[in-house]
Amino acid sequence: MKIKNICCIGAGYVGGPTMAVIAQKCPDIRVTVVDINENRIAAWNDENVEKLPVYEPGLSDIVKEARERNLFFSTDVDSAIDKADMIFISVNTPTKTYGIGKGMAADLKWIELCARQIASIAKDDKIIIEKSTLPVRTAAALRDILDNTGNGVKYQILSNPEFLAEGTAVQDLLNPDRVLIGGDIDTEDGLQAIQSLSEIYERWVPKERILTTNVWSSELSKLTANAFLAQRVSSINAMSELCEKTGADVHEVAQALGMDSRIGSKFLQSSVGFGGSCFQKDILNLVYIAKSFGLNEVADYWEQVIIMNDYQKRRFANNMIQTLFNTVSGKKITLLGWAFKKDTNDTRESAAIYVADHLLNEEAEIVVYDPKVETEQIYSDLDYLKSRSKEANRQSLKVANNPYEACKDAHAIAVLTEWEEFKHYDWEKIYDNMLKPAFVFDGRNLLNMEELIKIGFVPKSVGKPEYDAKSFSGPAIAS
Ligand code: UDX
Ligand code: UDX
Ligand code: ADP
């Protein structure tokens, strides 16, 4: 079937950029992105493309090119469903915060609502595509809902997980390592639906990178890919602590590992801990699924990745407190960066939230500077933890819009996101205006330590030895 009309339900970090790229590459296909959130749709339609709700390098140019030509953003969900021959479901699937599976399972409430809405509107056959990351066997649930409407409409359900990373979404979409399409490969109709979707991607993705599997493999591959990536970060973070104790340098270790072609060099950057909407949620989901099949050893194995990550965030904050003479009470501490990684305004599960919360529990006075994150987002991230009242959060944590102001009179600075601009600050000026000793805790190993030491800072970075490693005089081995 030649697709003429696409609808995408959910105009978030995945739906927005993905549809913008499809619209750019397929000018003959009408792409409508719908969302129930009116503010979000208004922002996608804003004349000023700087105000798009998702910040991604290169995205605004693509939106400018395609918007109103064949890319539309709307709140009229029903009409877009009605007209579409292909519907992407790209709504949020957060970890459940209530009931059975609380804190572990994915909440499929929004997915189910979408399915019911599609079922109530559709008058002709449609291809439904799972784009959100979902637990294995969600497609079966979708099918149950859609096939039981009794109105004779036939649906094909495909799983087409998105592997884009935030901050590089446009590049990842334009040049993906692979496109994965899971479908009903045992039936003619299933194969045709896969073909229709594949033809869209083939406009710009080499055919050999488009992989077809059964639905379950596709669903499970997405969870597994994220679990493996997160596992690498937790593994190198585990080594970072051992490096600090032994005098090894985690950078040197990572480099040596990365040159083994069986291991590879990516995702070996030790840090204050991984964040983002996917890693934790997908692993919890995997753990939940494994447990529900009674696979306790499998569940425990993956859960350890999360336990290590929580530990790394806590360890970073504790290290700050210890270094600041065991108390941060009443001390001004500056956090540079709040986003979960550079080049995005997304803060979901950002390590910064947990570091800030920990320091606030110790009565620190925090000032945050992030080049892209809105003030209200920072407060709402903290309020969400319910550690203290909203007023207390606003009293003890302030948001600055100038990094030099943010660092003035601080006892310590912590770099929590690897924004490029942090490297190029006038660190001498920052030093001059800080209290001494001027501590810098580099949670991203971003700054040039030697330069900072020359200026007079006392810098600490993750996974670097505490003493002069070159002297070979490591800590005494306990006997
Ligand atoms: C290993 C390291 O590869 C090598 O770099 C180091 O110097 C010594 O230890 P070796 O034990 O000789 O080498 O063999 P290797 O190929 O790594 O296999 C180890 C075991 O893992 C084997 O039993 C192998 O069958 C198994 N394996 C390996 C798997 O089960 N699956 C894989 O994908 C790879
Ligand atoms: C991830 C996957 O990479 C992507 O394929 C999937 O579609 C969604 O989830 P994302 O969460 O956007 O993407 O960003 P990613 O680059 O994977 O980083 C996740 C977190 O890990 C960030 O907080 C990042 O700072 C951290 N990280 C990453 C490290 O601490 N060290 C590394 O070496 C790599
Ligand atoms: P992701 O990172 O997966 O893209 P986001 O939270 O950024 O997740 O985006 C999901 C979007 O889906 C939100 O803007 C939300 O308003 C929207 N959404 C959720 N449920 C529905 C629904 N039933 N109909 C339309 N939009 C929905």
Side-chain angles (χ1 to χ4, degrees):
M1 184 166 83
K2 177 106 179 51
I3 302 299
K4 295 199 189 67
N5 218 314
I6 289 176
C7 158
C8 173
I9 308 181
Y13 282 91
V14 172
T18 310
M19 291 304 125
V21 168
I22 291 183
Q24 187 205 30
K25 295 293 182 185
C26 311
D28 53 314
I29 299 178
R30 188 183 166 91
V31 180
T32 308
V33 191
V34 292
D35 203 298
I36 39 177
N37 181 334
E38 289 179 9
N39 291 337
R40 216 167 221 201
I41 291 298
W44 279 110
N45 281 323
D46 203 302
E47 284 272 297
N48 178 358
V49 283
E50 297 304 312
K51 294 208 175 131
L52 296 184
V54 171
Y55 170 75
E56 281 290 342
L59 179 62
S60 56
D61 287 340
I62 294 179
V63 170
K64 236 190 283 179
E65 179 187 332
R67 202 170 56 186
E68 301 300 323
R69 178 187 73 191
N70 66 323
L71 175 63
F72 303 89
F73 294 94
S74 160
T75 50
D76 190 350
V77 183
D78 288 0
S79 149
I81 290 175
D82 181 34
K83 292 192 188 115
D85 359 83
M86 183 176 263
I87 300 173
F88 288 82
I89 302 184
S90 190
V91 300
N92 32 336
T93 50
T95 304
K96 269 186 92 172
T97 52
Y98 56 89
I100 297 174
K102 178 177 169 182
M104 301 288 276
D107 195 341
L108 299 182
K109 191 162 67 180
W110 291 276
I111 294 280
E112 184 178 335
L113 280 172
C114 283
R116 292 192 185 282
Q117 198 162 2
I118 294 169
S120 74
I121 303 284
K123 296 193 279 296
D124 45 19
D125 296 354
K126 299 198 188 292
I127 299 173
I128 311 294
I129 299 169
E130 302 180 340
K131 200 69 183 153
S132 317
T133 309
L134 293 163
V136 182
R137 303 229 157 232
T138 306
L142 280 176
R143 183 177 300 289
D144 268 352
I145 295 169
L146 292 170
D147 283 352
N148 282 302
T149 52
N151 59 2
V153 173
K154 280 204 267 170
Y155 298 96
Q156 276 302 321
I157 297 168
L158 302 179
S159 155
N160 173 220
E162 186 46 68
F163 293 104
L164 69 81
E166 288 175 31
T168 52
V170 171
Q171 271 322 307
D172 294 346
L173 286 164
L174 290 175
N175 188 22
D177 287 348
R178 79 307 211 179
V179 168
L180 181 55
I181 303 176
D184 194 354
I185 46 178
D186 298 325
T187 67
E188 195 50 41
D189 286 351
L191 288 171
Q192 261 184 24
I194 293 174
Q195 179 66 17
S196 299
L197 180 57
S198 181
E199 277 169 14
I200 292 177
Y201 287 112
E202 280 168 35
R203 310 252 196 135
W204 76 96
V205 179
K207 211 170 169 177
E208 59 277 12
R209 285 199 219 155
I210 301 176
L211 197 66
T212 304
T213 65
N214 75 36
V215 177
W216 320 128
S217 298
S218 170
E219 288 182 336
L220 189 58
S221 298
K222 169 71 186 189
L223 291 185
T224 312
N226 275 342
F228 267 61
L229 291 169
Q231 175 270 122
R232 285 174 69 94
V233 179
S234 274
S235 294
I236 200 72
N237 280 343
M239 298 320 294
S240 73
E241 188 175 24
L242 196 54
C243 285
E244 287 165 25
K245 298 287 180 236
T246 55
D249 179 329
V250 77
H251 267 293
E252 295 176 349
V253 173
Q255 195 186 5
L257 289 181
M259 286 170 76
D260 186 326
S261 62
R262 296 168 301 179
I263 298 176
S265 60
K266 294 180 183 165
F267 269 74
L268 290 178
Q269 178 72 43
S270 69
S271 64
V272 54
F274 62 74
S277 69
C278 285
F279 283 1
Q280 173 158 319
K281 178 186 81 177
D282 288 355
I283 293 178
L284 289 174
N285 203 340
L286 200 58
V287 169
Y288 184 72
I289 294 169
K291 277 197 182 144
S292 68
F293 285 107
L295 312 180
N296 292 328
E297 286 75 6
V298 177
D300 291 349
Y301 177 79
W302 287 112
E303 192 168 18
Q304 204 58 38
V305 174
I306 302 284
I307 293 173
M308 189 64 224
N309 194 50
D310 286 340
Y311 173 65
Q312 187 77 348
K313 295 181 271 189
R314 210 167 51 239
R315 183 168 90 78
F316 185 87
N318 279 336
N319 184 29
M320 289 179 71
I321 296 162
Q322 241 174 39
T323 308
L324 291 170
F325 316 107
N326 287 318
T327 175
V328 289
S329 179
K331 292 182 180 170
K332 176 172 171 178
I333 294 180
T334 306
L335 305 185
L336 290 181
W338 190 265
F340 81 96
K341 62 188 272 194
K342 73 172 176 182
D343 290 341
T344 176
N345 60 346
D346 193 351
T347 64
R348 285 176 288 180
E349 293 299 332
S350 180
I353 304 169
Y354 298 93
V355 171
D357 188 56
H358 200 86
L359 295 174
L360 287 172
N361 284 343
E362 297 287 327
E363 301 181 349
E365 300 287 330
I366 295 182
V367 177
V368 179
Y369 171 77
D370 186 288
K372 285 284 175 214
V373 178
E374 309 270 346
T375 303
E376 269 322 301
Q377 185 61 47
I378 295 175
Y379 287 128
S380 105
D381 289 337
L382 273 178
D383 293 345
Y384 185 78
L385 297 182
K386 295 200 171 76
S387 301
R388 62 197 72 71
S389 71
K390 292 184 174 186
E391 294 70 36
N393 281 331
R394 280 151 191 76
Q395 180 124 43
S396 305
L397 182 144
K398 304 284 179 205
V399 181
N401 47 25
N402 174 306
Y404 296 98
E405 270 309 304
C407 297
K408 193 164 178 289
D409 298 328
H411 285 256
I413 296 172
V415 175
L416 301 181
T417 311
E418 72 281 23
W419 287 104
E420 271 300 302
E421 66 171 66
F422 297 164
K423 285 196 219 168
H424 309 299
Y425 287 169
D426 181 346
W427 283 96
E428 292 222 33
K429 178 169 156 189
I430 291 176
Y431 177 80
D432 289 342
N433 291 319
M434 273 178 75
L435 297 186
K436 311 295 173 328
F439 293 103
V440 174
F441 298 88
D442 188 350
R444 296 292 186 164
N445 292 327
L446 179 78
L447 305 175
N448 184 332
M449 289 292 127
E450 277 173 22
E451 247 169 53
L452 291 185
I453 290 171
K454 249 193 246 156
I455 293 172
F457 281 104
V458 184
K460 306 257 176 190
S461 44
V462 177
K464 299 269 186 183
E466 292 279 337
Y467 56 90
D468 183 3
K470 293 185 194 95
S471 72
F472 295 102
S473 58
I477 305 282
S479 52

